[in-house]
Structures are given as C-alpha cells and as structure tokens.
Amino acid sequence: MSNSGSLIQDYINMPLNELMERADTACRKVYGSAVFIRGLLEVTNYCTMNCAYCGIRRDNAKLLRYRMSNEEILQTIKQGLHRGIKSFVLQGGVDPEFQGSKLIALADDIRNSFGSDFALTFSFGVLSYDTYRALFAAGVNRYLLRFETADATLHEALKGTELSERIRAFMHLKEIGYEAGTGFMTGLPGDSLSSNLELLASLEPDMIGIGPFIPHPETPLKHASCQGLEPTLRAVAISRLLFPYANIPATTAAGTIEQNGRELALSAGANVVMPNIGTKAYKQLYELYPGKICVSEDGFSCINCLSVRIRSVNKNLDYRRGNSRGRV
Ligand code: 5AD
Ligand code: FES
C-alpha cells in the first residue's frame, strides 16, 4: 500500500467526530472562519450522457429541458456582481450547445462584458484539449470535473465512458494551468470510499467536490439504497487533512439528505458554499437527484439563509474570490 494509502486507511478507521475536529482545525489554520461564496448557474439540463445515477440523463423523458441564453447568463452574472459575488460557476449537462466554439464565445462574452475582476469556473464535462486551452485563454480560470467513482469497471457501467479518459481530461486541465477540481459521490452501489480517496489523493486537486449519492426515481439506480451523509462527512474531512489548501464546498446534495448537512460539512473541513443564483423554474428542472433543496427560493434569497447557517458553525460568509491557497 502506498504511503497515502495507509494514511487514508488510518483516517477511515478513526471515529468520525475526532476526524471532523482535526479537519476543522486544519481548515481554520488555512482559511480562518472564511466560507467563500460561489454563484452557481445551472445553464442547461440537456445531456447527451446517460449516467445511471443522474436525473438529467438522456433517457429521462419526463424531464422538461431548458437552456439559458447567453443574455440570461450575462444578466444573472451582472446581478451577482452587483451583490458583490466574485466567483461564478457555470455548470451544465453534456450539451452540444455548450461545447467548442459556442462555449468559447460565451466565455469571451462574459469577460468582454464584465472584465476579469472575478473568478470564472466552468463545468461541462470532458472537452478536447484544444477547447480547454481556448477557454483558459478566454478567461476561464477554474474547471470542475468529478471522476464520480475510481472503480474503472463501475465507472464504465454507470457512465458508459472510460475512467481513464476522464482522468486524462483532468490532467489536461492541470497542465493548461486551471485551478482544477474533481471529486466523487459517496455511497454509489458497490463503490469503495478508500479507492475514491486514493485516486483523489493522486490527482492533487485544487478543488474537491464530494456529495452523497441520492437515488433518483427516473434512473436505473432508483432502487439503490442511500448511505446517508456520514461517508460524505468522512470523505470531506479526510480530503481536508490530505489537502489543507484545497477549496472544498459544502454541497447541495449534503444539504438535501440532511437538513443541516451543509453545516456539518462546514464543520468537517469544507470552506465553500455554492448557492444557485438562477431562477426558481430552472433550479427545479436541474434535478440530478430528488428533493433538491432551495428550489422554491428565488436566486439570491438563499444567500441570507446561508449566511445564518454559516454563522451557526462559527464561520462567516466571505465574498472574496478565494483562490486556492496552494497557489500564488
Ligand atoms: N445523487 C447525488 N449526486 C449526483 N450527481 C449526479 N447525480 C447525482 C445523484 N443522483 C452529482 C455528480 C455530478 C454533480 C454535478 O452531481 O457527482 O458531478
Ligand atoms: Fe451524466 Fe447527468 S447524465 S452527469
């Protein structure tokens, strides 16, 4: 077993409260009480992929599909900037309308309209090396690409694509110079937390997204059991201990399976929140998993709610762009 392998095993065997306390201390050492805010825009729920766990998979014919126009996207970012947000995340399904030259034009539009005084993160799945490079040149600073599961066989069975392809894409992002994020779901049927953490450790990400798998009724995994929040809290805490400088969000999925799930993640070493700043109608339709929270709140009303929740764990909402401290 590698060094990080045996370290991970030690952490996995530790009582959860002890692990969380250690991670909280490590997080506060680097970030103090700051919890960075990212304004999330879910810009399209069209998806050509058919991942077995995901509610917006291609074969879910019950889902009404939407795409935000570039104008709507610019308008939403403008509102976010007015409220002081300095970091935006644009995420979508794998949609031909958000690939290649169209995606590059969107990045150009955003930077030409609003300048470069804020961080811009994209998350649109595996794209070509050239597209990643052109997006970076157009001012996209960060990219999120979760590997979802480190088990190559399970990965291919669930996603229909190869794990190695996704890892290669992630390495491209790092090579180009992005702050690169990855992560996984906890509790996928047959998955192993230690393998996921070992792959995560080997990828040395700047950002780490981890949330619980929640079975969606319109997917092949509808009868799978839900493992609850604990494995996510454990994984968040271990990620923080492995990577003291990483940006780690308290995910919406964590807040969905437990009422105070995000607060618990923030007590386990998470230092980022990502409220969706889009309209209610779109929020509801971006249904990766059932029961998603905040869908009846309009875009920005979550922010007040979040700042109260964050204070309840002795942290403070912070509007700075929050670069990964591992970098200058
Ligand atoms: N439950 C929890 N998380 C999910 N995701 C997709 N489907 C589900 C689900 N059923 C996660 C994936 C993806 C992120 C945007 O949402 O990890 O990368
Ligand atoms: Fe693959 Fe949605 S269908 S992430």
Side-chain angles (χ1 to χ4, degrees):
M1 200 185 283
S2 67
N3 269 348
S4 76
S6 62
L7 183 61
I8 288 168
Q9 217 44 58
D10 289 348
Y11 286 147
I12 284 183
N13 293 328
M14 207 177 264
L16 182 60
N17 56 354
E18 185 184 338
L19 194 61
M20 285 174 63
E21 272 169 33
R22 286 201 194 189
D24 191 38
T25 304
C27 185
R28 287 174 196 271
K29 219 177 247 174
V30 176
Y31 289 107
S33 66
V35 175
F36 298 122
I37 179 171
R38 321 292 188 207
L40 174 66
L41 288 81
E42 291 162 338
V43 300
T44 174
N45 73 351
Y46 281 88
C47 197
T48 59
M49 299 273 285
N50 212 23
C51 307
Y53 47 79
C54 179
I56 70 169
R57 68 200 302 269
R58 184 180 67 220
D59 284 355
N60 182 3
K62 289 201 178 149
L63 183 67
L64 186 69
R65 304 284 171 163
Y66 75 90
R67 273 185 195 106
M68 287 174 79
S69 67
N70 282 16
E71 291 68 36
E72 278 177 290
I73 293 169
L74 291 174
Q75 197 53 39
T76 309
I77 292 176
K78 188 174 175 182
Q79 287 168 3
L81 288 167
H82 276 305
R83 291 183 186 247
I85 295 178
K86 292 240 181 288
S87 170
F88 297 88
V89 179
L90 272 61
Q91 185 161 73
V94 174
D95 176 354
E97 294 300 312
F98 286 89
Q99 282 172 3
S101 56
K102 291 182 178 168
L103 206 50
I104 297 162
L106 174 61
D108 278 332
D109 262 7
I110 293 171
R111 287 302 186 199
N112 292 335
S113 306
F114 304 121
S116 55
D117 189 27
F118 57 93
L120 187 57
T121 306
F122 274 16
S123 181
F124 294 94
V126 173
L127 304 170
S128 72
Y129 183 87
D130 287 346
T131 303
Y132 284 153
R133 215 175 36 184
L135 287 171
F136 189 72
V140 180
N141 323 102
R142 305 175 181 168
Y143 201 97
L144 301 173
L145 186 68
R146 288 189 184 178
F147 58 77
E148 312 295 2
T149 168
D151 178 326
T153 310
L154 185 64
H155 191 278
E156 187 162 358
L158 296 179
K159 293 187 74 70
T161 49
E162 284 190 14
L163 175 64
S164 57
E165 180 196 63
R166 218 163 166 84
I167 293 175
R168 199 175 320 121
F170 181 80
M171 298 316 282
H172 288 165
L173 293 166
K174 288 187 44 142
E175 182 190 323
I176 291 166
Y178 284 95
E179 284 191 35
T182 190
F184 55 88
M185 283 171 278
T186 59
L188 280 171
D191 207 8
S192 143
L193 188 57
S194 56
S195 316
N196 286 331
L197 287 165
E198 278 177 42
L199 177 57
L200 187 83
S202 75
L203 294 175
E204 303 193 346
D206 300 294
M207 306 177 282
I208 300 170
I210 296 168
F213 159 64
I214 307 172
H216 188 292
E218 296 302 325
T219 65
L221 292 187
K222 61 182 166 208
H223 296 307
S225 65
C226 183
Q227 304 296 315
L229 185 62
E230 234 189 82
T232 285
L233 294 176
R234 193 170 284 281
V236 164
I238 295 173
S239 300
R240 170 60 66 208
L241 292 169
L242 295 173
F243 296 107
Y245 291 98
N247 276 315
I248 305 179
T251 54
T252 306
T256 297
I257 53 162
E258 242 175 70
Q259 201 273 334
N260 63 342
R262 286 169 301 179
E263 292 89 321
L264 287 166
L266 291 170
S267 307
N271 71 318
V272 168
V273 289
M274 296 172 61
N276 182 321
I277 58 171
T279 60
K280 278 191 256 183
Y282 293 153
K283 278 185 175 186
Q284 214 133 39
L285 294 174
Y286 204 83
E287 199 196 47
L288 305 173
Y289 44 81
K292 193 176 160 203
I293 48 171
C294 310
V295 290
S296 43
E297 319 280 314
D298 233 321
F300 292 96
S301 45
C302 293
I303 296 176
N304 295 335
C305 162
L306 269 175
S307 73
V308 174
R309 288 171 179 272
I310 289 167
R311 279 200 299 276
S312 80
V313 294
N314 286 319
K315 291 191 167 187
N316 289 295
L317 192 60
D318 191 311
Y319 281 82
R320 286 174 300 166
R321 58 189 280 169
N323 295 335
S324 169
R325 292 275 176 91
R327 298 169 166 252
V328 249

